Amino acid sequence: MMSEYTWFEGIAFPTLAVQKEQLEDICNTFVVKEEDLIILTYPKSGTNWLIEIVCLIQKKGDPTWVQSVPTWDRSPWLETSYGHPLLINKEGPRLMSSHLPIHLFPKSLFSSKAKVIYVIRNPRDVLISGYFFWGKTNLVKDPESLETYFEWFLKGNVVYGSWFEHVRGWLSMRECDNFLVLYYEDMKKDTKGTIKKICDFLGKKLGPDELELVLKYSSFQVMKENNMSNFSLIGDDVVTNGLQLMRKGTTGDWKNHFTVAQAEAFDKVFQEKMAGFPPGMFPWE
Ligand code: A3P
């Protein structure tokens, strides 16, 4: 049975994972520390891949941590009722994930030097990835068809709100030194280069062998087989009929699903909503 959404500031959140009072508290009082590292994304943009890479970088390629501790304990989701207490009780530098839009993120971030990595993915692929993912959970309303989900996505009537507003909002921080923007498409095209970029941003140095280990253990196939990373530990209260986090891991899958009319409608909305960004801002356009 699907639970109702939790609504906060006009944005829908999955009730099974997020509680309104807690969310209010997080937005108003959670204190970001200088030494925190925050992984921010709109859902289905490559969050778990980036978490895996960062965890492996922190351990210089040693896979013990990623093979023994679930993703949500290594990098708890700030806005979730499960993740929030873990983070407030953790001492020392914290790694955390979040899908919150910028206007709901704890204000303390904006006066802190905590590092943030924001991953952006072609929203057409985000839409398809989300359609196949959320539909196999009890976390969202069942759209019943891709046509319906397509309409909801373009209007922002999906959990965590509009992709366009999320990305627009967070990109306003792109000139800040403590803010790194990555693209899923670049991560796919040049994974090693992306890992090096993340290392530079974090001030970490990896030897060539260590870099190869990070590459190996964060690869799609290895993550798909790692029970700590592939969501196979998520319980039946959330999962229905075979949830797969590691679905395809490709770019351009939307072309296998959109009709010509949908592709045109999407282009139109993208151009309207993302007008004003410099050329080259979105590598897939
Ligand atoms: P698909 O559904 O298109 O396969 P998130 O972690 O934000 O929920 O994003 C999930 C998407 O990232 C899924 O996309 C998943 O396959 C992809 N992904 C996860 N790990 C990956 C990896 N190591 N390499 C490539 N894609 C990966």
Side-chain angles (χ1 to χ4, degrees):
M1 197 187 67
M2 209 293 295
S3 49
E4 283 303 307
Y5 290 143
T6 292
W7 287 92
F8 184 63
E9 302 279 332
I11 294 194
F13 293 90
T15 302
L16 276 175
V18 175
Q19 281 163 13
K20 192 172 176 194
E21 295 70 30
Q22 200 176 16
L23 200 52
E24 226 156 21
D25 184 38
I26 293 164
C27 296
N28 295 322
T29 64
F30 183 83
V31 180
V32 173
K33 300 182 201 160
E34 303 282 300
E35 64 274 21
D36 289 341
L37 171 58
I38 306 164
I39 291 174
L40 266 165
T41 59
Y42 186 86
K44 311 317 297 171
S45 302
T47 328
N48 288 272
W49 187 11
L50 180 62
I51 295 171
E52 206 79 346
I53 291 175
V54 167
C55 290
L56 286 161
I57 291 175
Q58 290 191 347
K59 300 292 179 192
K60 293 190 167 285
D62 179 344
T64 311
W65 194 31
V66 300
Q67 290 176 348
S68 57
V69 180
T71 318
W72 45 84
D73 287 328
R74 283 183 267 127
S75 183
W77 267 258
L78 171 64
E79 62 273 22
T80 62
S81 26
Y82 180 80
H84 178 231
L86 293 181
L87 290 168
I88 46 179
N89 291 320
K90 182 158 190 325
E91 307 206 332
R94 296 173 298 186
L95 175 62
M96 68 185 90
S97 312
S98 176
H99 297 310
L100 286 173
I102 192 166
H103 66 287
L104 298 184
F105 204 85
K107 306 290 166 282
S108 54
L109 170 67
F110 307 105
S111 55
S112 119
K113 292 196 175 66
K115 289 184 177 165
V116 176
I117 308 180
Y118 187 62
V119 188
I120 306 178
R121 184 183 192 186
N122 185 334
R124 299 162 182 87
D125 285 330
V126 168
L127 187 160
I128 293 299
S129 179
Y131 174 70
F132 287 108
F133 179 82
W134 296 115
K136 296 194 170 65
T137 70
N138 278 334
L139 296 168
V140 300
K141 282 192 190 123
D142 182 1
E144 285 171 7
S145 70
L146 179 57
E147 289 69 35
T148 307
Y149 190 73
F150 182 91
E151 296 299 323
W152 289 358
F153 187 92
L154 282 191
K155 292 191 182 124
N157 288 340
V158 286
V159 282
Y160 288 96
S162 156
W163 179 92
F164 305 97
E165 280 161 33
H166 203 282
V167 171
R168 248 190 185 288
W170 281 111
L171 277 179
S172 66
M173 285 191 66
R174 67 189 186 276
E175 304 295 340
C176 300
D177 291 342
N178 60 336
F179 195 84
L180 176 68
V181 178
L182 295 177
Y183 296 90
Y184 179 92
E185 290 69 23
D186 294 341
M187 290 169 72
K188 284 289 299 181
K189 215 187 300 167
D190 180 12
T191 315
K192 206 185 256 191
T194 306
I195 297 172
K196 286 186 189 158
K197 206 184 219 183
I198 298 170
C199 286
D200 286 347
F201 178 67
L202 300 180
K204 303 264 184 212
K205 276 217 170 336
L206 292 183
D209 294 350
E210 293 167 344
L211 188 64
E212 287 304 325
L213 289 172
V214 174
L215 199 57
K216 172 177 164 187
Y217 289 110
S218 63
S219 69
F220 184 84
Q221 207 45 44
V222 172
M223 277 184 69
K224 194 178 164 83
E225 284 158 21
N226 181 359
N227 288 346
M228 297 296 143
S229 312
N230 63 13
F231 279 24
S232 59
L233 297 177
I234 295 185
D236 291 344
D237 53 330
V238 170
V239 175
T240 54
N241 57 55
L243 176 78
Q244 253 195 328
L245 170 72
M246 309 299 294
R247 192 184 61 94
K248 280 195 174 173
T250 57
T251 56
D253 189 35
W254 65 272
K255 293 177 194 152
N256 300 318
H257 298 279
F258 282 18
T259 62
V260 172
Q262 282 174 330
E264 285 173 6
F266 202 106
D267 285 352
K268 194 161 171 283
V269 173
F270 188 93
Q271 276 151 26
E272 274 166 25
K273 300 260 189 196
M274 303 314 273
F277 282 108
M281 190 77 231
F282 303 107
W284 59 81
E285 288 299 304

